[in-house]
Every structure is written in C-alpha cells, then in structure tokens.
Short mmCIF file of all heavy atoms in Angstrom, two decimals:
data_model
loop_
_atom_site.label_atom_id
_atom_site.label_comp_id
_atom_site.label_asym_id
_atom_site.label_seq_id
_atom_site.Cartn_x
_atom_site.Cartn_y
_atom_site.Cartn_z
N ASP A 86 0.86 -1.18 0.00
CA ASP A 86 0.00 0.00 0.00
C ASP A 86 0.90 1.23 0.00
O ASP A 86 1.66 1.45 0.94
CB ASP A 86 -0.91 -0.02 1.23
CG ASP A 86 -1.87 1.16 1.25
OD1 ASP A 86 -2.06 1.80 0.20
OD2 ASP A 86 -2.41 1.45 2.34
N ASN A 87 0.83 2.04 -1.06
CA ASN A 87 1.78 3.13 -1.18
C ASN A 87 1.17 4.34 -1.87
O ASN A 87 0.15 4.25 -2.55
CB ASN A 87 3.02 2.67 -1.96
CG ASN A 87 2.72 2.41 -3.43
OD1 ASN A 87 2.78 3.30 -4.27
ND2 ASN A 87 2.36 1.17 -3.75
N ARG A 88 1.84 5.46 -1.65
CA ARG A 88 1.53 6.70 -2.38
C ARG A 88 2.86 7.35 -2.74
O ARG A 88 3.69 7.60 -1.86
CB ARG A 88 0.67 7.66 -1.55
CG ARG A 88 0.34 8.96 -2.30
CD ARG A 88 -0.56 9.87 -1.47
NE ARG A 88 0.11 10.27 -0.23
CZ ARG A 88 -0.50 10.94 0.75
NH1 ARG A 88 -1.79 11.24 0.64
NH2 ARG A 88 0.16 11.30 1.83
N VAL A 89 3.06 7.61 -4.03
CA VAL A 89 4.34 8.14 -4.51
C VAL A 89 4.15 9.55 -5.04
O VAL A 89 3.30 9.80 -5.91
CB VAL A 89 4.92 7.24 -5.63
CG1 VAL A 89 6.28 7.77 -6.07
CG2 VAL A 89 5.05 5.79 -5.15
N THR A 90 4.93 10.49 -4.52
CA THR A 90 4.91 11.89 -4.94
C THR A 90 6.26 12.23 -5.56
O THR A 90 7.30 11.81 -5.08
CB THR A 90 4.66 12.82 -3.73
OG1 THR A 90 3.42 12.45 -3.12
CG2 THR A 90 4.60 14.28 -4.17
N GLY A 91 6.23 12.97 -6.66
CA GLY A 91 7.47 13.36 -7.33
C GLY A 91 7.71 14.85 -7.26
O GLY A 91 6.77 15.65 -7.30
N VAL A 92 8.98 15.25 -7.13
CA VAL A 92 9.39 16.65 -7.20
C VAL A 92 10.66 16.75 -8.04
O VAL A 92 11.48 15.83 -8.04
CB VAL A 92 9.64 17.27 -5.80
CG1 VAL A 92 8.37 17.34 -4.99
CG2 VAL A 92 10.71 16.51 -5.04
N ASP A 93 10.78 17.85 -8.75
CA ASP A 93 11.97 18.06 -9.57
C ASP A 93 11.99 19.51 -10.00
O ASP A 93 11.04 20.27 -9.74
CB ASP A 93 11.98 17.14 -10.79
CG ASP A 93 13.39 16.79 -11.24
OD1 ASP A 93 14.28 17.66 -11.15
OD2 ASP A 93 13.61 15.64 -11.70
N GLU A 94 13.08 19.89 -10.67
CA GLU A 94 13.17 21.23 -11.23
C GLU A 94 12.24 21.36 -12.41
O GLU A 94 11.93 20.39 -13.10
CB GLU A 94 14.61 21.53 -11.65
CG GLU A 94 15.56 21.78 -10.51
CD GLU A 94 16.82 22.46 -10.98
OE1 GLU A 94 17.50 21.90 -11.85
OE2 GLU A 94 17.10 23.56 -10.48
N ASP A 95 11.81 22.59 -12.69
CA ASP A 95 10.89 22.83 -13.79
C ASP A 95 11.69 23.14 -15.06
O ASP A 95 11.90 24.30 -15.41
CB ASP A 95 9.93 23.97 -13.46
CG ASP A 95 8.77 24.06 -14.46
OD1 ASP A 95 8.71 23.20 -15.35
OD2 ASP A 95 7.95 24.98 -14.32
N LEU A 96 12.15 22.08 -15.72
CA LEU A 96 12.86 22.19 -16.99
C LEU A 96 12.05 21.46 -18.06
O LEU A 96 11.37 20.47 -17.76
CB LEU A 96 14.25 21.57 -16.88
CG LEU A 96 15.19 22.18 -15.84
CD1 LEU A 96 16.47 21.36 -15.74
CD2 LEU A 96 15.50 23.64 -16.17
N PRO A 97 12.10 21.91 -19.32
CA PRO A 97 11.30 21.27 -20.37
C PRO A 97 11.51 19.76 -20.47
O PRO A 97 10.55 19.00 -20.55
CB PRO A 97 11.76 21.99 -21.64
CG PRO A 97 12.20 23.33 -21.17
CD PRO A 97 12.82 23.10 -19.82
N VAL A 98 12.77 19.31 -20.45
CA VAL A 98 13.03 17.89 -20.57
C VAL A 98 12.52 17.12 -19.37
O VAL A 98 12.03 15.99 -19.49
CB VAL A 98 14.54 17.64 -20.78
CG1 VAL A 98 15.35 18.10 -19.57
CG2 VAL A 98 14.81 16.18 -21.09
N VAL A 99 12.56 17.74 -18.19
CA VAL A 99 12.04 17.10 -16.98
C VAL A 99 10.53 17.00 -17.03
O VAL A 99 9.94 15.96 -16.73
CB VAL A 99 12.49 17.88 -15.72
CG1 VAL A 99 11.77 17.36 -14.48
CG2 VAL A 99 14.00 17.79 -15.56
N ARG A 100 9.87 18.10 -17.45
CA ARG A 100 8.41 18.10 -17.52
C ARG A 100 7.89 17.02 -18.46
O ARG A 100 6.91 16.33 -18.18
CB ARG A 100 7.91 19.48 -17.96
CG ARG A 100 6.40 19.61 -18.03
CD ARG A 100 5.98 21.06 -18.24
NE ARG A 100 6.25 21.86 -17.06
CZ ARG A 100 5.42 21.91 -16.02
NH1 ARG A 100 4.29 21.20 -16.02
NH2 ARG A 100 5.71 22.67 -14.98
N ARG A 101 8.58 16.82 -19.58
CA ARG A 101 8.15 15.81 -20.55
C ARG A 101 8.23 14.41 -19.95
O ARG A 101 7.30 13.62 -20.08
CB ARG A 101 9.03 15.89 -21.80
CG ARG A 101 8.75 14.78 -22.82
CD ARG A 101 9.62 14.93 -24.05
NE ARG A 101 11.03 14.89 -23.73
CZ ARG A 101 11.71 13.76 -23.52
NH1 ARG A 101 11.09 12.59 -23.56
NH2 ARG A 101 13.00 13.79 -23.26
N VAL A 102 9.33 14.10 -19.29
CA VAL A 102 9.53 12.76 -18.75
C VAL A 102 8.60 12.49 -17.57
O VAL A 102 8.00 11.42 -17.47
CB VAL A 102 11.00 12.58 -18.32
CG1 VAL A 102 11.20 11.26 -17.60
CG2 VAL A 102 11.91 12.66 -19.54
N VAL A 103 8.46 13.47 -16.67
CA VAL A 103 7.63 13.29 -15.49
C VAL A 103 6.17 13.06 -15.88
O VAL A 103 5.46 12.25 -15.27
CB VAL A 103 7.76 14.49 -14.54
CG1 VAL A 103 6.75 14.42 -13.41
CG2 VAL A 103 9.17 14.56 -13.98
N GLY A 104 5.72 13.75 -16.90
CA GLY A 104 4.34 13.59 -17.34
C GLY A 104 4.01 12.19 -17.84
O GLY A 104 2.84 11.81 -17.92
N GLU A 105 5.05 11.40 -18.15
CA GLU A 105 4.85 10.05 -18.65
C GLU A 105 4.96 8.99 -17.56
O GLU A 105 4.79 7.80 -17.83
CB GLU A 105 5.88 9.76 -19.75
CG GLU A 105 5.74 10.67 -20.96
CD GLU A 105 6.88 10.48 -21.95
OE1 GLU A 105 7.83 9.71 -21.64
OE2 GLU A 105 6.83 11.09 -23.04
N ARG A 106 5.28 9.39 -16.33
CA ARG A 106 5.43 8.42 -15.24
C ARG A 106 4.08 8.06 -14.63
O ARG A 106 3.43 8.87 -13.98
CB ARG A 106 6.37 8.96 -14.16
CG ARG A 106 7.82 8.98 -14.57
CD ARG A 106 8.74 9.20 -13.41
NE ARG A 106 8.63 8.19 -12.36
CZ ARG A 106 9.58 7.93 -11.46
NH1 ARG A 106 10.71 8.62 -11.49
NH2 ARG A 106 9.41 7.02 -10.53
N ALA A 107 3.69 6.81 -14.82
CA ALA A 107 2.38 6.36 -14.34
C ALA A 107 2.40 6.02 -12.86
O ALA A 107 1.34 5.89 -12.24
CB ALA A 107 1.93 5.14 -15.14
N ASP A 108 3.60 5.88 -12.27
CA ASP A 108 3.67 5.46 -10.86
C ASP A 108 3.47 6.60 -9.90
O ASP A 108 3.28 6.37 -8.70
CB ASP A 108 5.02 4.79 -10.59
CG ASP A 108 6.19 5.75 -10.80
OD1 ASP A 108 6.25 6.36 -11.88
OD2 ASP A 108 7.04 5.86 -9.88
N LEU A 109 3.50 7.85 -10.38
CA LEU A 109 3.39 9.00 -9.49
C LEU A 109 1.92 9.35 -9.23
O LEU A 109 1.15 9.57 -10.16
CB LEU A 109 4.09 10.21 -10.09
CG LEU A 109 5.61 10.07 -10.34
CD1 LEU A 109 6.16 11.35 -10.96
CD2 LEU A 109 6.35 9.72 -9.06
N SER A 110 1.55 9.41 -7.95
CA SER A 110 0.19 9.84 -7.61
C SER A 110 0.02 11.33 -7.88
O SER A 110 -1.05 11.79 -8.27
CB SER A 110 -0.09 9.54 -6.13
OG SER A 110 0.04 8.16 -5.85
N ARG A 111 1.10 12.08 -7.66
CA ARG A 111 1.10 13.51 -7.92
C ARG A 111 2.55 13.96 -8.03
O ARG A 111 3.46 13.27 -7.59
CB ARG A 111 0.39 14.28 -6.80
CG ARG A 111 0.93 13.98 -5.41
CD ARG A 111 0.11 14.63 -4.33
NE ARG A 111 0.63 14.27 -3.00
CZ ARG A 111 0.13 14.72 -1.87
NH1 ARG A 111 -0.90 15.55 -1.89
NH2 ARG A 111 0.65 14.35 -0.71
N TRP A 112 2.76 15.11 -8.65
CA TRP A 112 4.12 15.62 -8.77
C TRP A 112 4.10 17.13 -8.85
O TRP A 112 3.08 17.75 -9.18
CB TRP A 112 4.83 15.03 -9.99
CG TRP A 112 4.05 15.02 -11.28
CD1 TRP A 112 3.21 14.05 -11.72
CD2 TRP A 112 4.06 16.02 -12.30
NE1 TRP A 112 2.68 14.37 -12.93
CE2 TRP A 112 3.19 15.58 -13.32
CE3 TRP A 112 4.71 17.24 -12.45
CZ2 TRP A 112 2.96 16.32 -14.47
CZ3 TRP A 112 4.48 17.98 -13.60
CH2 TRP A 112 3.62 17.51 -14.59
N SER A 113 5.25 17.72 -8.49
CA SER A 113 5.38 19.17 -8.45
C SER A 113 6.76 19.54 -8.98
O SER A 113 7.76 18.95 -8.60
CB SER A 113 5.21 19.68 -7.02
OG SER A 113 5.46 21.07 -6.93
N LEU A 114 6.80 20.53 -9.87
CA LEU A 114 8.05 21.01 -10.44
C LEU A 114 8.25 22.48 -10.07
O LEU A 114 7.29 23.25 -10.06
CB LEU A 114 8.05 20.85 -11.97
CG LEU A 114 7.82 19.45 -12.52
CD1 LEU A 114 7.88 19.46 -14.05
CD2 LEU A 114 8.83 18.46 -11.96
N GLY A 115 9.49 22.85 -9.78
CA GLY A 115 9.76 24.24 -9.44
C GLY A 115 11.06 24.38 -8.68
O GLY A 115 11.92 23.50 -8.73
N ASP A 116 11.20 25.48 -7.96
CA ASP A 116 12.37 25.75 -7.15
C ASP A 116 12.37 24.82 -5.94
O ASP A 116 11.52 24.93 -5.06
CB ASP A 116 12.37 27.21 -6.70
CG ASP A 116 13.66 27.62 -6.00
OD1 ASP A 116 14.41 26.73 -5.55
OD2 ASP A 116 13.92 28.83 -5.91
N LEU A 117 13.32 23.89 -5.90
CA LEU A 117 13.32 22.88 -4.85
C LEU A 117 13.69 23.43 -3.48
O LEU A 117 13.54 22.74 -2.47
CB LEU A 117 14.27 21.75 -5.23
CG LEU A 117 13.87 20.98 -6.50
CD1 LEU A 117 14.88 19.89 -6.80
CD2 LEU A 117 12.47 20.39 -6.37
N ARG A 118 14.17 24.67 -3.43
CA ARG A 118 14.47 25.27 -2.13
C ARG A 118 13.19 25.66 -1.38
O ARG A 118 13.22 25.86 -0.17
CB ARG A 118 15.35 26.50 -2.31
CG ARG A 118 16.76 26.19 -2.78
CD ARG A 118 17.53 27.46 -3.09
NE ARG A 118 16.92 28.20 -4.19
CZ ARG A 118 17.34 29.39 -4.61
NH1 ARG A 118 18.36 29.98 -4.01
NH2 ARG A 118 16.75 30.00 -5.63
N CYS A 119 12.10 25.76 -2.10
CA CYS A 119 10.85 26.17 -1.45
C CYS A 119 9.67 25.30 -1.89
O CYS A 119 8.52 25.74 -1.81
CB CYS A 119 10.56 27.65 -1.71
SG CYS A 119 10.55 28.12 -3.45
N VAL A 120 9.94 24.11 -2.40
CA VAL A 120 8.86 23.22 -2.81
C VAL A 120 7.99 22.89 -1.60
O VAL A 120 8.50 22.66 -0.50
CB VAL A 120 9.43 21.94 -3.45
CG1 VAL A 120 10.26 21.15 -2.45
CG2 VAL A 120 8.32 21.08 -4.03
N PRO A 121 6.66 22.91 -1.74
CA PRO A 121 5.78 22.64 -0.59
C PRO A 121 5.82 21.17 -0.17
O PRO A 121 5.36 20.30 -0.89
CB PRO A 121 4.40 23.03 -1.11
CG PRO A 121 4.50 22.90 -2.60
CD PRO A 121 5.91 23.26 -2.96
N LEU A 122 6.40 20.91 1.00
CA LEU A 122 6.48 19.56 1.54
C LEU A 122 6.07 19.60 3.01
O LEU A 122 6.65 20.34 3.80
CB LEU A 122 7.90 19.01 1.42
CG LEU A 122 8.47 18.81 0.00
CD1 LEU A 122 9.94 18.46 0.08
CD2 LEU A 122 7.69 17.72 -0.73
N ALA A 123 5.09 18.79 3.36
CA ALA A 123 4.64 18.75 4.75
C ALA A 123 5.71 18.09 5.62
O ALA A 123 6.29 17.06 5.23
CB ALA A 123 3.34 17.97 4.86
N PRO A 124 6.01 18.66 6.80
CA PRO A 124 7.01 18.06 7.68
C PRO A 124 6.62 16.64 8.09
O PRO A 124 5.45 16.34 8.34
CB PRO A 124 7.03 19.00 8.89
CG PRO A 124 6.48 20.30 8.37
CD PRO A 124 5.48 19.92 7.33
N ARG A 125 7.60 15.75 8.13
CA ARG A 125 7.42 14.37 8.58
C ARG A 125 6.23 13.70 7.88
O ARG A 125 5.37 13.10 8.53
CB ARG A 125 7.24 14.32 10.09
CG ARG A 125 8.43 14.88 10.86
CD ARG A 125 8.33 14.63 12.34
NE ARG A 125 9.53 15.09 13.05
CZ ARG A 125 9.82 14.78 14.30
NH1 ARG A 125 8.99 14.01 15.00
NH2 ARG A 125 10.92 15.24 14.87
#
C-alpha cells in the first residue's frame, strides 16, 4: 500500500519525462528550495 509523490526542477526535458510516469500519484516542479512539503 503506497503513495508516490514526485518533485523536480521545472525544466522542459524534466516536464516531458515526469508527465509520462504512471507510478506517481502527484508531482510538483519548481524551485526545490521552497517546494511545498509537509514536515514528517
């Protein structure tokens, strides 16, 4: 039983590949220094 979330930089080549990943329940691209991640 799992839930997989993806994060990465917002680059064109990254956006294309991430959009094809079926294992991700959700994903977010952007500045990883301030990506929204809930503690623990």
